[in-house]
């Protein structure tokens, strides 16, 4: 075949000559549309919208920022949602959402977490750990998308610097931020400040009619006017009142107005320092809460007090001791009462719910006020045990050769994990991403060191999937302190080891070697030969990553030899497989060392043995990696036909196991082989495809491939 365009993976039989071009689907995330739909009850705000839209359009082509401020419950987020909905066609790159949680009792979200969430929405690769570097990557990623601009909704900000770090790069993008107070310092960034006022009396009645029904309001205009007045024009307060009416068709507006008046008097008598708007909000929340059935009220305050950012039926069932179906019913009822927000339908978790920040604060207040001795601590432990058990199940499905350590439960969940296979486990971990670090932090603050380090140990599978270095490092700092507090040296050793892997992944190679050297010393002192072999391998692998081949060889060979001895001594089939795989991984690394040191024969021997073993134990991913390096060893030996054939097969296999990182790497290695064979057009095509994938994964790798492009001609 000559001058053929091949779409998708290929399997080559024989030889291909001429201009062959690789076309692969972009491996970044799909276009994000994360902003919640505008509720059908949206009312008024015509002048607000018209003014903001006109200003936004007048400031093109710059990055535009709108800062909406106003009291809690006034509808800032809903106005922002409607604004972005009106402008949807002008931002084809998508709509992103991040909640800075500025008014959460647990404190605001960390900037590195917020930047990580935004980056993962547009970018499928590794993320650096620092705020400044993440902010720079965010600007770079968005600058590349100026032809497909994005709109970003940033909720619940408290400081201008928080928002400034989230500004997109390039042109044409839009950032809308909500806050309770004016973020005046954003004026120097060109922000348009907009103060959102409560509804006028007429708009308040119109909104009440939209929520409760026009016929109900029309039947008693005087009572409707009283309810609107008691709600102080706050959409959230009025929505709660309207939901009460919709849920109780026989209740008259006059009865509700009387009840709200009584609640208002109670709030004024029991709480001091509230603004009139705060009194209105608390009156509506009191009336809604005290109208709940007792089981629903318990679920509301229990889950509002708990650490997860968002909720589902599984964690609710575990915390509240309910059957799964009953927990789902209670969450549905609370959403129907206006106390929960339906965030999304998720394939891994079912319906996911969240709290308005004012409602969560109220739920926590009620939890503290009504809890019996030890109740809140028990609920926290139930929630932590649910996450520990479920994350551990995912870890053992996804990384079955990870060293198995003890788990200590006080309330071990009696329900199976909500997944049964690797794909389901990975999907569940990704769907829970907002709740993983809060679980670790909560365990640490609650004085539960065993739970803390065990959560971190279980997170290994998720960290390998995402390379979220900010989560990796904070979790391991807490996990290491917890392991030392427990006096558990094996746990401490594991924390140091997986922390070192994260440091290496983040390019902090000297720090990684320091961690692995600590592991090596501890393992030898404890007589832990498995830990010693692992530490030796990791030290060698880190020197390999640093391109220090002479330093890499000795620890890799020592680790391999010890792994081979342990495998020969093992009697358990799982242990035998673990060590067999470990020896093959050492051979793959030693094969790379041999390639770099100009020893193709040694590399071929190592890599052939590694690939054969990995295929035998059905480790398709690592077998594909070994093949990519085996192809380069054959190229170095002068057998370019075998190198090209194996290189193409490695691309196919890496694509089949859905590893974008290794699809890109195998294409890069194939490009070198094609270049050496004199197939310059094909080499350029392979490098360009590798670069396209790496652009979505890691700028450092993309720069390396970019430097090779000029020579592929």
């Amino acid at each position: 075949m000559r001058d053929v365009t091949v779409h998708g993976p290929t399997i080559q039989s024989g030889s291909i000559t001429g201009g062959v071009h690789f076309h692969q689907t972009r491996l970044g995330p799909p276009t994000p549309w994360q902003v919640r739909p505008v509720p059908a009850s949206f009312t008024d705000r015509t002048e607000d919208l018209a003014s903001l839209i006109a200003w936004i359009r007048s400031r093109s082509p710059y990055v535009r920022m709108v800062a909406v401020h106003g009291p809690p419950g006034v509808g800032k987020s809903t106005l922002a949602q409607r604004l972005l909905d009106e402008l949807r066609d002008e931002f084809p790159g998508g709509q992103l959402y991040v909640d800075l949680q500025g008014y959460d009792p647990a404190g605001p979200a960390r900037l590195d977490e917020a930047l990580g969430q935004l980056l993962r929405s547009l970018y499928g690769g590794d993320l650096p750990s620092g705020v400044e570097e993440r902010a720079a990557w965010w600007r770079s990623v968005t600058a590349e998308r100026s032809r497909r601009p994005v709109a970003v909704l940033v909720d619940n900000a408290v400081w201008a610097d928080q928002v400034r770090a989230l500004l997109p790069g390039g042109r044409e993008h839009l950032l809308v931020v909500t806050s309770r107070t004016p973020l005046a310092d954003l004026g120097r960034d060109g922000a348009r400040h907009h103060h959102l006022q409560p509804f006028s009396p007429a708009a308040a009645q119109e909104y009440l009619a939209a929520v409760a029904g026009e016929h109900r309001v029309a039947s008693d205009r005087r009572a409707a006017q009283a309810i609107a007045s008691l709600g102080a024009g706050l959409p959230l307060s009025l929505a709660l009142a309207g939901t009460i009416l919709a849920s109780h068709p026989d209740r008259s507006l006059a009865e509700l107005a009387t009840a709200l008046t009584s609640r208002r008097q109670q709030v004024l008598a029991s709480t001091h320092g509230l603004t009139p708007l705060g009194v209105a909000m608390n009156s509506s929340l009191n009336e809604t809460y005290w109208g709940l059935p007792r089981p629903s009220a318990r679920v509301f305050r229990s889950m509002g007090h708990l650490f997860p950012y968002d909720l589902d039926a599984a964690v609710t069932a575990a915390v509240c001791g309910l059957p799964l179906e009953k927990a789902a019913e209670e969450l549905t009822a609370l959403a129907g009462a206006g106390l929960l927000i339906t965030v999304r339908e998720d394939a891994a978790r079912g319906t996911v719910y969240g709290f308005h920040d004012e409602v969560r604060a109220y739920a926590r207040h009620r939890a503290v006020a009504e809890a019996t001795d030890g109740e809140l601590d028990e609920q926290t432990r139930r929630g932590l045990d649910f996450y520990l058990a479920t994350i551990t199940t995912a870890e053992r499905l996804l990384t079955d050769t990870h060293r198995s350590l003890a788990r200590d439960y006080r309330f071990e969940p009696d329900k199976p994990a909500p997944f049964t296979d690797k794909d389901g486990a990975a999907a569940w971990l990704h769907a829970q991403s907002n709740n993983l670090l809060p679980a670790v932090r909560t365990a640490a603050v609650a004085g539960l060191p065993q739970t803390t380090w065990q959560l971190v140990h279980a997170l290994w599978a998720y960290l390998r999937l995402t390379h979220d270095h900010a989560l990796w490092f904070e979790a391991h700092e807490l996990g290491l302190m917890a392991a030392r507090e427990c006096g558990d040296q094996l746990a401490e050793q594991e924390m140091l080891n997986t922390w070192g892997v994260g440091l290496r992944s983040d390019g902090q190679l000297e720090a990684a070697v320091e961690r692995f050297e600590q592991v090596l010393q501890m393992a030898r002192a404890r007589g832990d030969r498995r830990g010693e072999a692992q530490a030796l391998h990791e030290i060698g692998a880190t020197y390999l990553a640093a391109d220090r081949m002479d330093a890499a060889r000795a620890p890799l060979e020592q680790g391999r030899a010890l792994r081979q001895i342990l495998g020969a001594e093992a009697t358990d089939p799982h242990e035998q497989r673990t060590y067999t795989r470990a020896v093959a991984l050492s051979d793959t690394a030693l094969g790379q060392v041999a390639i770099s040191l100009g020893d193709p024969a040694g590399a071929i021997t190592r890599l052939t043995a590694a690939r054969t073993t990995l295929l035998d134990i059905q480790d398709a991913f690592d077998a594909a990696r070994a093949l990519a390096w085996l192809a380069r060893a054959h190229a170095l030996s002068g057998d370019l036909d075998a190198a090209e054939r194996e290189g193409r097969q490695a691309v196919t296999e890496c694509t089949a196991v859905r590893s974008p990182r290794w699809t890109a790497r195998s294409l890069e290695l194939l490009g070198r082989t094609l270049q050496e064979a004199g197939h310059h057009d094909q080499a350029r095509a392979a490098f360009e495809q590798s670069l396209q994938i790496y652009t979505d994964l890691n700028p450092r790798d993309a720069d390396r491939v970019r430097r090779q492009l000029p020579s592929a001609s």
Side-chain angles (χ1 to χ4, degrees):
M1 295 188 292
R2 290 184 179 274
D3 298 316
V4 174
T5 298
V6 180
H7 297 271
T10 65
I11 297 177
Q12 178 184 338
S13 177
S15 61
I16 298 177
T17 60
V20 179
H21 308 280
F22 297 88
H23 291 267
Q24 187 147 339
T25 303
R26 191 83 167 192
L27 293 172
T31 301
W33 300 102
Q34 298 170 351
V35 175
R36 287 194 290 269
V38 181
S41 58
F42 185 88
T43 302
D44 196 43
R45 308 303 195 192
T46 305
E47 292 183 5
D48 299 276
L49 287 168
S51 171
L52 292 174
I53 289 172
W55 182 86
I56 289 167
R57 288 174 174 161
S58 72
R59 294 302 188 274
S60 180
Y62 303 104
V63 173
R64 292 142 294 174
M65 178 167 33
V66 170
V68 180
H69 66 275
V74 79
K76 302 180 292 294
S77 298
T78 305
L79 174 70
Q81 292 164 18
R82 180 58 181 266
L83 177 64
L84 296 190
D85 186 66
E86 292 282 338
L87 297 170
R88 181 184 175 102
D89 292 343
E90 298 177 33
F91 296 92
Q95 298 176 350
L96 281 66
Y97 176 83
V98 64
D99 183 358
L100 293 182
Q101 305 169 44
Y103 311 101
D104 192 297
R110 285 178 29 169
L111 267 180
D112 53 8
E113 296 172 5
L115 285 161
Q117 180 181 332
L118 290 173
L119 278 165
R120 282 190 293 272
S121 300
L122 298 177
Y123 172 82
D126 296 353
L127 299 180
S129 55
V131 171
E132 292 184 5
E133 193 172 1
R134 284 193 174 193
W137 281 28
W138 165 243
R139 291 190 294 271
S140 299
V141 167
T142 47
E144 291 182 349
R145 288 163 168 79
S146 290
R147 293 183 180 179
R148 287 177 54 81
V150 299
V152 184
L153 172 52
V154 178
D155 247 343
N156 297 310
V158 286
W159 305 298
D161 284 344
Q162 280 181 308
V163 180
R164 194 169 286 120
L166 307 182
L167 275 170
R171 292 186 166 194
E172 299 288 358
H173 305 296
L174 171 65
L175 187 146
V176 180
V177 57
T178 72
S179 62
R180 293 185 182 177
T181 57
L183 302 178
D185 197 40
L186 290 178
R188 63 188 175 97
D189 298 286
R192 162 70 182 268
H193 294 285
H194 187 83
H195 184 195
L196 188 62
Q197 302 281 357
F199 282 142
S200 67
Q205 291 191 59
E206 181 184 351
Y207 182 71
L208 185 63
V211 177
E214 176 64 39
H215 66 288
R216 299 286 294 282
V217 171
S219 67
D220 192 343
R221 289 288 181 186
R222 180 175 296 180
Q225 184 177 0
I227 293 170
S229 176
L230 289 163
L234 292 176
L236 180 55
S237 180
L238 293 166
L240 291 168
T243 301
I244 292 171
L245 290 169
S247 302
H248 300 85
D250 297 331
R251 190 172 189 181
S252 70
L253 272 70
E255 289 175 359
L256 178 58
T258 301
L260 288 172
T261 300
S262 176
R263 297 293 183 195
R264 174 184 172 82
Q265 293 169 350
Q266 293 171 5
V267 170
L268 287 169
S270 62
T271 310
H272 303 287
L274 286 178
T275 66
L277 297 179
V279 171
M281 179 66 68
N282 277 269
S283 300
S284 296
L285 284 166
N286 273 339
E287 181 63 19
T288 302
Y289 175 74
W290 292 111
L292 292 173
R294 291 185 65 183
S296 299
R298 177 174 178 268
V299 169
F300 170 69
R301 62 179 183 264
S302 299
M303 302 313 292
H305 186 267
L306 206 65
F307 59 85
Y309 175 73
D310 50 35
L311 310 171
D312 57 40
V315 68
T316 303
V319 170
C320 299
L322 298 172
L324 190 63
E325 297 77 8
K326 182 62 176 175
E329 289 175 8
E330 293 292 359
L331 293 176
T332 301
L334 291 171
L339 294 173
L340 288 178
I341 301 165
T342 302
V343 176
R344 66 183 184 276
E345 294 294 330
D346 189 277
R349 297 177 62 190
T351 307
V352 179
Y353 298 92
F355 284 92
H356 187 283
D357 53 311
E358 278 294 289
V359 178
R360 185 188 283 273
Y362 179 84
R364 288 178 171 173
H365 167 72
R366 294 277 19 121
V368 172
E370 299 182 46
T372 58
D373 288 346
E375 182 181 12
L376 297 183
D377 290 340
E378 177 180 323
Q379 290 170 349
T380 297
R381 186 62 188 265
R382 286 183 180 275
L384 290 171
D385 282 352
F386 166 81
Y387 275 97
L388 177 59
T390 314
I391 297 169
T392 296
T393 301
E395 170 223 0
R396 291 174 180 171
L397 273 171
L398 291 165
T399 53
D400 64 341
T401 58
H402 187 214
R403 193 167 197 167
S404 181
L405 299 185
R407 298 290 184 258
D408 296 289
Y409 302 105
R410 182 178 167 196
F411 302 100
E412 185 168 3
D414 57 1
K415 301 174 181 64
F419 48 80
T420 57
D421 58 19
K422 290 184 177 182
D423 287 344
W428 185 87
L429 287 170
H430 283 296
Q432 290 281 359
S433 59
N434 287 332
N435 300 323
L436 302 177
L437 188 54
V440 177
R441 290 171 176 165
T442 299
V445 170
L448 300 170
Q450 283 185 316
T451 302
T452 303
W453 73 253
Q454 288 171 12
L455 278 166
V456 178
H457 182 261
L459 280 173
W460 171 241
Y462 178 74
L463 295 173
R464 285 184 77 237
L465 285 170
T466 63
H467 288 244
D468 184 341
H469 293 112
L471 166 62
W472 204 321
F473 298 156
E474 181 180 346
H476 275 77
E477 184 174 0
L478 293 172
L480 181 62
M481 288 191 296
R484 287 173 174 168
E485 183 179 345
C486 292
D488 191 325
Q489 291 190 337
L490 179 56
E492 180 181 351
Q493 185 178 304
E494 285 296 303
M495 293 297 99
L496 287 167
N497 186 67
T498 49
W499 194 347
V501 175
L503 290 166
R504 183 175 66 217
S505 171
D506 196 40
Q508 301 183 50
L509 302 181
E510 290 185 9
V513 170
E514 289 178 9
R515 297 294 190 281
F516 296 135
E517 291 283 4
Q518 288 178 274
V519 173
L520 182 61
Q521 292 174 14
M522 292 182 68
R524 284 175 171 167
R526 296 177 56 252
D528 176 10
R529 293 189 297 165
R530 173 174 176 167
E532 179 183 358
Q534 183 70 30
L536 287 165
H537 176 87
E538 300 296 357
I539 290 168
T542 306
Y543 283 130
L544 178 61
D547 204 26
R548 294 179 58 187
M549 300 303 162
D550 288 331
R553 175 186 280 172
L556 284 170
E557 288 180 340
Q558 292 169 27
R560 183 194 185 281
L562 187 50
R563 285 172 162 180
Q564 195 165 35
I565 292 169
L566 291 169
E569 294 175 354
T571 56
D572 178 75
H574 179 73
E575 282 191 12
Q576 290 173 345
R577 180 184 182 277
T578 297
Y579 289 120
T580 297
R581 176 178 177 272
V583 169
L585 295 181
S586 294
D587 277 334
T588 301
L590 285 163
Q592 295 172 61
V593 171
I595 290 171
S596 294
L597 295 178
D599 177 15
I604 290 169
T605 299
R606 295 278 193 186
L607 291 163
T608 300
R611 176 163 168 82
T612 300
T613 297
L614 293 165
L615 287 173
D616 285 345
I617 64 173
Q618 299 181 356
D619 183 346
F621 169 67
D622 289 308
R625 290 198 309 119
L627 181 61
W629 288 113
L630 180 59
R632 288 302 298 148
H634 277 123
L636 187 63
S637 74
D639 190 350
L640 292 174
D641 288 341
E644 183 176 346
R645 181 174 64 253
E646 290 168 348
R648 294 183 187 280
Q649 181 64 25
V651 172
T652 299
E653 292 184 14
C654 290
T655 304
V657 297
R658 292 182 290 182
S659 172
R661 184 189 320 277
W662 268 92
T663 299
R665 186 71 164 132
S666 59
L667 279 163
E668 178 189 358
L669 296 175
L670 175 61
R672 294 182 195 172
T673 297
L674 291 169
Q675 183 178 345
E676 291 161 5
H679 304 320
H680 298 299
D681 289 343
Q682 295 177 53
R684 175 172 287 277
F687 283 132
E688 287 177 345
Q689 183 59 41
S690 176
L691 177 61
Q692 184 186 54
I693 300 170
Y694 272 140
T695 299
D696 284 338
L697 294 178
N698 191 313
R700 287 189 289 264
D701 291 328
D703 287 342
R704 183 186 64 247
V705 175
R706 198 175 284 113
R707 289 193 296 270
Q708 297 176 73
L709 267 170
S711 61
S713 60

